[in-house]
Amino acid sequence: EAGVAQSPRYKIIEKRQSVAFWCNPISGHATLYWYQQILGQGPKLLIQFQNNGVVDDSQLPKDRFSAERLKGVDSTLKIQPAKLEDSAVYLCASSLDLKTSGVNNEQFFGPGTRLTVL
Amino acid sequence: SQQGEEDPQALSIQEGENATMNCSYKTSINNLQWYRQNSGRGLVHLILIRSNEREKHSGRLRVTLDTSKKSSSLLITASRAADTASYFCATAVYNNNDMRFGAGTRLTVKP
């Protein structure tokens, strides 16, 4: 079974530039998540999609971050413009629909994109 | 904001010894999950324990949950060098797939 795919794996940009990350979840997973993991910390949820709708984006810095999942499958996360403090690993995860999986909401993570902002 | 707090932040043991990591959380939960993260890689799900369960086993892993104390522990028995990784607890609230992760415990198993 193919896992969650993310690209690119690494990205180095200068501050004030723009960057976009791509995620392809596990086939059939309705729920998709984007996390930000700063070095030495645990993942912090940025946004959660259920199919193509946003469930939770309360921790997404909306002045510079945006995300979409137009067809309910792939998703992109964009940062525009980037700041130094955005340097982190951006993780994408997917899971089955909570309504069909019940309490078993194990999330499957991709390898992440390591972003360095200079 | 993060929900879980792991303790200790770092743990170093010899191969063959047992490793115990603790997690405390603040609000009522649906379930609690433990994940492992090897250096530079994504997270791997280890075990899920529901709020009505007290103990769960999976291979060399044993997880306990005390909802009255809002705490959980992860025990890895007979540790191996390959167990070297960061371990995170994550809590899920009711009717929500949203999980909140702690800062993790960095485990080093020396051969």
Side-chain angles (χ1 to χ4, degrees), chain A residues 4-63:
Chain A
V4 176
Q6 289 188 249
S7 68
R9 291 295 310 278
Y10 305 92
K11 190 73 177 179
I12 300 174
I13 62 173
E14 294 187 350
K15 60 183 179 182
R16 291 188 289 274
Q17 286 188 323
S18 301
V19 65
F21 312 126
W22 173 83
C23 172
N24 181 241
I26 292 174
S27 177
H29 281 192
T31 312
L32 185 147
Y33 316 78
W34 282 102
Y35 290 88
Q36 179 193 58
Q37 186 176 22
I38 293 172
L39 186 65
Q41 299 181 17
K44 183 184 84 170
L45 180 70
L46 293 176
I47 189 167
Q48 175 185 346
F49 290 95
Q50 182 75 8
N51 296 308
N52 61 352
V54 176
V55 174
D56 182 359
D57 64 356
S58 58
Q59 299 191 96
L60 186 73
K62 299 181 185 62
D63 58 333

Side-chain angles (χ1 to χ4, degrees), chain A residues 33 37 56 59 103 105, chain B residues 1 31 35 37 97-98 100:
Chain A
Y33 316 78
Q37 186 176 22
D56 182 359
Q59 299 191 96
V103 299
N105 49 358
Chain B
S1 61
N31 65 66
Y35 286 79
Q37 185 177 37
N97 260 3
D98 177 5
R100 303 291 167 147

Side-chain angles (χ1 to χ4, degrees), chain A residues 81-100:
Chain A
K83 293 185 176 181
L84 297 177
E85 57 262 35
D86 298 331
S87 293
V89 176
Y90 291 84
L91 296 164
C92 179
S94 69
S95 69
L96 291 169
D97 187 337
L98 175 63
K99 295 176 183 176
T100 56

Side-chain angles (χ1 to χ4, degrees), chain B residues 11-57:
Chain B
L11 180 61
S12 182
I13 60 174
Q14 293 294 134
E15 204 165 30
E17 293 180 338
N18 295 341
T20 300
M21 289 160 270
N22 302 297
C23 169
S24 59
Y25 57 92
K26 299 175 183 176
T27 63
S28 296
I29 61 171
N30 185 352
N31 65 66
L32 185 143
Q33 301 177 40
W34 285 90
Y35 286 79
R36 182 186 70 222
Q37 185 177 37
N38 292 89
S39 181
R41 298 188 181 180
L43 282 79
V44 174
H45 181 264
L46 295 176
I47 198 165
L48 178 153
I49 186 165
R50 298 172 180 167
S51 59
N52 61 351
E53 297 176 313
R54 293 295 168 259
E55 188 170 314
K56 206 162 183 179
H57 297 255

